[in-house]
Amino acid sequence: MANLKRYNDGLFKLDLWIRRLLTIGESNELYTALCDGVCDIVGAGTAVFTTIDMQAGTLTYMAASGGWNAMVKGLAVPMKSGNLCASVAACGTPLRIDQISSRTDSCELLQVMDMDAAVLVPVLEEGRVTACLSAFRVGNPFDQIDEQLLQQYAHTASMVLRTVRLMVDLRHHAAMLEEENDERTRAEQKLAETNVFLNSVVDGVAEPMVVVGLDRRVIMTNRAARDFFQISDVGSDEACHRLIHHRDTPCVREEGMQCPLLDVRTAKRPVIATQEHRDRSGDKRVVEVMTSPLLGSDGVAIGIIEAFRDITDRRQAEETIRQMAYYDSLTGLPNRRLFNDRLRQSLALAQRNKRLLSVLFLDLDRFKLINDTLGHAVGDKLLMQVAKRLKGVCRRDGDTVARQGGDEFIINLSVISDVKDALKVAQKIIDSLRTPFVIDGHELFITTSIGISVFPYDGRTSDALVKNADFAMYRAKEQGRNNCQLYTPEMNSKAFERLSLENNLRKGLEREELVLYYQPKVNVDDGQISCMEALVRWQHPTMGLVPPARFIPLAEETGLIVPLGEWVLRTACRQNREWQKAGYPPMQVAVNISPRQLQQGNLVDVVERALSDSGLAPRWLVLEVTESIMMDGTESTLATFRVLERMGIHIAIDDFGTGYSSLHYLKKFPIHALKIDRSFIRDITTNPDDEAITSAVITMAKGLNLKVVAEGVETVEQLEVLRALQCTHMQGHLFSRPAPAEQFAPVFGRAAGAYLGFGTWC
């Protein structure tokens, strides 16, 4: 934004200086003023205007700003002397130097000036470099904006110089005609010669030029104007509005088209106007018209001289800068800055008119999973299609759909008559996303969680409304996603509680407040513990023992699960190795792996480091993963599991049966065990369906040569049914609740005797 403001300020100064230059009639004064304009526009310490004679091979310093003018004015040097202007003349492009002293081609003049930064731009006439405009300063290098402003100034100055020379030539030849008025024949011949000369001069100007009389008749045009305006010939009775603007009536201010003739006659000085024209191909072009009065011999205006400059590219560049500043480059939607501006305007109107206004905060559910599995290219295309559907729902004038960032969008419903209106729009958005998106051959389903805040009930400022809509969106996430929630004050306290819990968890990791509990997996055939599952607990100094259900989802969402998971892995491996050193029968230790840990891409390194530091052999480690990791697994996930298997590590699927269970990944991935989810075990003694599903899983696992572990075994009756189904490995409160490591030492190695004794271990 600062660069855009500086560029606009520079353009404003540039216009002021061009107007000033147009009022100067003498070349010497014009050159000095030209240099002063450079210093003002780009903040230079000094500036120099140098003419270049390529044929003679000389450079002439015509003027400089300030005290340097008297020293350099009229000084001529050969181009071969290594002057920087010679480099600009040779390449025809601007030259920007951050440290002049580092250049070997700087001349003695620059060394005397003692400047260390410079920018030089060529002054072109008919595509040839005829002069150089140079700016110098100390301690502050020039940047691209300075260079662009100076190029614009040099381009416009070239037109001014040609206009001044033309006026001088016109006056000169008019004087010649007046002096030779006595010799009529000779005067007429001279006049004809002068007209031919002037026409040649004017036709040689690259920019379109038109001379218009006070009666709006076109007196003269140059070749560039005839080409640009598609004029074949200029007759004495043709008006400028017909030839140039293709209309039957003159331009008037009420129609929005500035009339240079009226402006000059009113101001009695040069005027700059902006107009729109069609070029030969029919494309619309934005043209800047520099208009000067044409004076007769008595000093009275007899017409105007219009010089046209095509500024379409400049306007497009300005629009590009505005687009970058206020719009999202991916979706084309307004960005956060523009949204906040519009929301503040909507709030002002809502307050004045005592009307309701609503803000909707949207987050795409599980978008990160699509991004991580299918790549950012697919994710970006999905965001573009979602943006298109959102704009299709919110089509009212005054409403704004913006991209907040990432997969978050925000909507301003500038006027609603009831809170139900906001709920209806939110439901329409949810419904619009039900149709799957087809991107690069993938059929993708995406849902959204929406939070809603309403002015004035939920806040009177834009910040408050956005913040509270964000709180409501998190509530929608907690309610299972794919729904909308209105903001309530309680959400503020919950958000604060969540933030406080996150901060405490970060500190808890640093202060080593986390502890591991263990729950045994028992082989009921011999009563021996075959594996100990490591379960993390948080021993907070004031909150006490925080259950995992309260902090694990938060750790997953914030990314803290990565360092937390590494700590669990290291600690569990070290504990198992200590049990082995104590002489207890060897057994495996199981550690749960989060999807976030897999997405880090360094799981193999983390596991190798944990095993190496603890001295535990890989065969005594089991990594438990969820079905979702398998279902959403990419080739890199498969490669990771295969490396772990080759190391000798066992892999088990936790909570089997609760996801989209598929034989495909059971066959594809190197899996060693299935853990039947506790939801099937809970009612296995009373629900025939649960018993049938469990039996099918056990039979399938045995057919695939996989170990089966039943989770959540709490009663003897459940154990008996599972034994009848030939499930020998079980885990649950019947045998032991999760407990600290030291509580298991007395029971390690003890035979079960009878299964009723399992529950008395801990």
Side-chain angles (χ1 to χ4, degrees):
M1 288 301 296
N3 286 339
L4 180 60
K5 183 179 184 305
R6 186 157 66 90
Y7 182 72
N8 287 332
D9 291 344
L11 289 177
F12 178 74
K13 291 181 179 179
L14 188 150
D15 286 341
L16 291 179
W17 274 100
I18 292 302
R19 294 175 186 175
R20 189 178 304 171
L21 295 176
L22 285 169
T23 63
I24 301 173
E26 191 167 333
S27 298
N28 290 335
E29 295 179 7
L30 183 65
Y31 295 145
T32 305
L34 192 62
C35 295
D36 293 338
V38 171
C39 294
D40 184 33
I41 293 169
V42 300
T46 188
V48 179
F49 181 79
T50 311
T51 59
I52 300 171
D53 190 338
M54 298 292 287
Q55 188 173 359
T58 59
L59 307 170
T60 304
Y61 300 105
M62 301 303 296
S65 59
W68 291 103
N69 190 42
M71 297 180 62
V72 305
K73 185 176 180 180
L75 180 63
V77 296
M79 291 182 67
K80 63 181 182 180
S81 65
N83 192 287
L84 294 175
C85 293
S87 301
V88 175
C91 63
T93 57
L95 175 63
R96 195 165 74 236
I97 305 167
D98 294 341
Q99 192 64 42
I100 294 176
S101 61
S102 65
R103 301 276 300 199
T104 59
D105 57 352
S106 62
C107 64
E108 294 179 358
L109 176 62
L110 297 183
Q111 297 171 3
V112 172
M113 283 184 173
D114 195 28
M115 296 287 174
D116 59 8
V119 58
L120 300 87
V121 298
V123 179
L124 304 175
E125 288 189 26
E126 298 182 359
R128 295 182 296 105
V129 179
T130 59
C132 178
L133 203 53
S134 312
F136 305 90
R137 64 186 178 204
V138 180
N140 183 14
F142 294 92
D143 61 11
Q144 180 126 15
I145 291 177
D146 296 323
E147 182 181 312
Q148 290 176 351
L149 289 171
L150 201 54
Q151 274 189 280
Q152 293 277 357
Y153 186 54
H155 179 72
T156 309
S158 173
M159 186 186 301
V160 173
L161 292 173
R162 289 195 295 275
T163 302
V164 169
R165 286 200 296 271
L166 176 61
M167 296 300 295
V168 170
D169 287 337
L170 286 170
R171 286 195 295 269
H172 173 69
H173 285 278
M176 288 176 59
L177 290 174
E178 189 173 354
E179 290 174 2
E180 299 172 359
N181 195 34
D182 294 337
E183 301 178 15
R184 184 173 182 177
T185 304
R186 188 178 173 187
E188 290 176 353
Q189 183 181 357
K190 277 287 184 182
L191 181 60
E193 292 174 355
T194 300
N195 286 336
V196 171
F197 172 78
L198 290 177
N199 287 335
S200 298
V201 171
V202 174
D203 279 342
V205 177
E207 286 79 12
M209 293 187 66
V210 177
V211 179
V212 181
L214 297 181
D215 59 354
R216 305 182 190 274
R217 305 295 174 184
V218 176
I219 299 172
M220 185 176 63
T221 60
N222 70 346
R223 184 181 295 109
R226 291 191 291 275
D227 289 343
F228 186 80
F229 296 115
Q230 304 176 56
I231 301 172
S232 58
D233 191 19
V234 179
S236 59
D237 62 342
E238 292 176 295
C240 61
H241 51 265
R242 282 198 296 269
L243 282 177
I244 298 175
H245 302 299
H246 307 294
R247 33 185 304 142
D248 294 328
T249 56
C251 306
V252 293
R253 285 187 194 282
E254 288 73 15
E255 296 172 335
M257 176 73 78
Q258 283 183 277
C259 180
L261 181 61
L262 295 177
D263 289 342
V264 170
R265 292 183 68 174
T266 302
K268 297 181 180 180
R269 57 178 174 77
V271 172
I272 298 177
T274 302
Q275 300 176 344
E276 289 186 354
H277 294 277
R278 297 280 178 181
D279 61 14
R280 304 182 80 174
S281 61
D283 295 331
K284 187 169 68 175
R285 310 296 295 178
V286 182
V287 177
E288 186 177 74
V289 187
M290 301 180 62
T291 309
S292 303
L294 179 63
L295 305 178
S297 58
D298 56 358
V300 178
I302 60 174
I304 59 171
I305 302 172
E306 296 184 359
F308 298 84
R309 181 158 60 99
D310 191 334
I311 60 171
T312 306
D313 293 340
R314 191 184 85 187
R315 286 292 179 89
Q316 289 175 347
E318 292 169 354
E319 177 59 26
T320 299
I321 293 173
R322 192 184 76 86
Q323 191 76 15
M324 293 171 60
Y326 291 106
Y327 290 87
D328 176 52
S329 59
L330 177 65
T331 62
L333 294 176
N335 61 14
R336 188 184 309 175
R337 182 184 291 111
L338 180 55
F339 176 84
N340 289 337
D341 287 345
R342 291 184 178 177
L343 179 56
R344 281 191 286 269
Q345 294 173 18
S346 298
L347 276 173
L349 288 173
Q351 289 171 339
R352 188 180 309 134
N353 300 324
K354 294 182 172 52
R355 304 183 72 168
L356 300 182
L357 173 154
S358 181
V359 172
L360 278 61
F361 200 107
L362 290 73
D363 182 270
L364 301 183
D365 300 327
R366 297 185 178 92
F367 173 78
K368 189 177 185 306
L369 183 61
I370 293 174
N371 234 9
D372 292 339
T373 55
L374 299 179
H376 289 278
V378 172
D380 287 348
K381 291 178 182 178
L382 176 59
L383 289 174
M384 289 189 284
Q385 290 196 22
V386 168
K388 186 176 180 180
R389 293 194 188 180
L390 292 179
K391 288 192 293 185
V393 172
C394 305
R395 293 178 293 182
R396 294 189 314 171
D397 291 339
D399 292 348
T400 299
V401 180
R403 185 183 178 201
Q404 182 79 350
D407 61 332
E408 294 179 338
F409 297 86
I410 190 164
I411 297 173
N412 168 26
L413 301 179
S414 57
V415 176
I416 59 173
S417 38
D418 191 88
V419 176
K420 292 179 182 178
D421 294 343
L423 288 169
K424 288 178 182 177
V425 173
Q427 190 57 51
K428 285 182 180 179
I429 291 172
I430 292 172
D431 293 340
S432 74
L433 299 182
R434 294 190 193 280
T435 305
F437 297 84
V438 179
I439 299 174
D440 293 349
H442 301 283
E443 188 178 49
L444 305 177
F445 292 86
I446 195 78
T447 59
T448 183
S449 300
I450 305 176
I452 304 171
S453 62
V454 178
F455 168 85
Y457 311 129
D458 304 327
R460 293 182 172 271
T461 66
S462 57
D463 289 343
L465 289 169
V466 171
K467 181 184 70 173
N468 291 337
D470 192 11
F471 288 154
M473 183 272 291
Y474 275 105
R475 177 60 176 166
K477 292 277 189 188
E478 293 171 358
Q479 293 298 309
R481 299 181 173 88
N482 195 29
N483 70 94
C484 60
Q485 293 290 321
L486 288 167
Y487 170 78
T488 59
E490 292 79 12
M491 293 177 183
N492 240 328
S493 60
K494 286 190 176 181
F496 179 79
E497 179 185 350
R498 180 180 175 278
L499 181 62
S500 175
L501 188 65
E502 179 184 342
N503 291 334
N504 281 328
L505 182 56
R506 291 183 187 277
K507 293 176 183 177
L509 279 168
E510 296 171 2
R511 298 170 181 172
E512 299 182 350
E513 295 173 0
L514 296 160
V515 294
L516 279 190
Y517 276 37
Y518 296 88
Q519 187 176 35
K521 300 175 186 177
V522 178
N523 185 335
V524 295
D525 283 349
D526 57 18
Q528 296 296 313
I529 297 174
S530 59
C531 182
M532 296 289 280
E533 182 176 0
L535 302 168
V536 67
R537 298 291 187 268
W538 180 11
Q539 188 64 54
H540 191 271
T542 57
M543 292 187 290
L545 195 64
V546 182
R550 188 177 175 194
F551 69 87
I552 291 296
L554 180 63
E556 284 276 7
E557 184 179 334
T558 59
L560 289 173
I561 196 68
V562 175
L564 174 60
E566 291 185 17
W567 176 84
V568 171
L569 182 64
R570 290 195 308 271
T571 306
C573 289
R574 187 168 57 248
Q575 180 61 65
N576 197 18
R577 183 58 183 148
E578 289 176 2
W579 281 331
Q580 290 179 1
K581 289 179 181 178
Y584 300 129
M587 58 193 163
Q588 292 178 317
V589 65
V591 176
N592 290 283
I593 298 297
S594 143
R596 277 284 189 106
Q597 290 175 271
L598 245 162
Q599 291 164 9
Q600 293 295 108
N602 64 340
L603 182 61
V604 172
D605 295 336
V606 171
V607 172
E608 284 181 334
R609 197 159 49 245
L611 292 172
S612 175
D613 292 347
S614 64
L616 184 69
R619 69 179 182 276
W620 302 116
L621 175 63
V622 178
L623 299 180
E624 295 189 359
V625 297
T626 60
E627 287 184 272
S628 62
I629 291 180
M630 300 295 183
M631 295 298 295
D632 301 321
T634 60
E635 288 301 319
S636 61
T637 303
L638 177 59
T640 297
F641 284 147
R642 284 176 176 168
V643 172
L644 293 170
E645 183 200 29
R646 286 196 295 270
M647 290 169 57
I649 295 167
H650 287 230
I651 298 170
I653 298 180
D654 198 11
D655 302 332
F656 184 79
T658 58
Y660 296 97
S661 304
S662 169
L663 290 175
H664 174 68
Y665 72 74
L666 292 179
K667 176 182 176 182
K668 184 177 179 181
F669 282 82
I671 301 164
H672 301 87
L674 302 178
K675 295 184 69 177
I676 303 175
D677 187 69
R678 64 185 67 247
S679 61
F680 300 111
I681 306 302
R682 184 184 306 113
D683 300 322
I684 195 171
T685 59
T686 58
N687 190 327
D689 291 339
D690 286 341
E691 182 179 354
I693 291 172
T694 303
S695 176
V697 171
I698 294 170
T699 302
M700 176 192 66
K702 289 183 179 295
L704 295 172
N705 199 27
L706 300 176
K707 181 192 293 186
V708 180
V709 180
E711 295 182 288
V713 180
E714 298 183 355
T715 66
V716 174
E717 290 77 15
Q718 292 170 345
L719 182 146
E720 291 289 8
V721 172
L722 289 167
R723 291 184 80 170
L725 296 176
Q726 298 184 354
C727 178
T728 57
H729 292 271
M730 304 181 196
Q731 180 181 4
H733 292 175
L734 175 64
F735 311 105
S736 172
R737 292 180 178 273
E742 57 270 16
Q743 293 191 27
F744 287 97
V747 300
F748 280 146
R750 180 184 303 173
Y755 52 74
L756 290 177
F758 291 152
T760 62
W761 284 359
C762 298

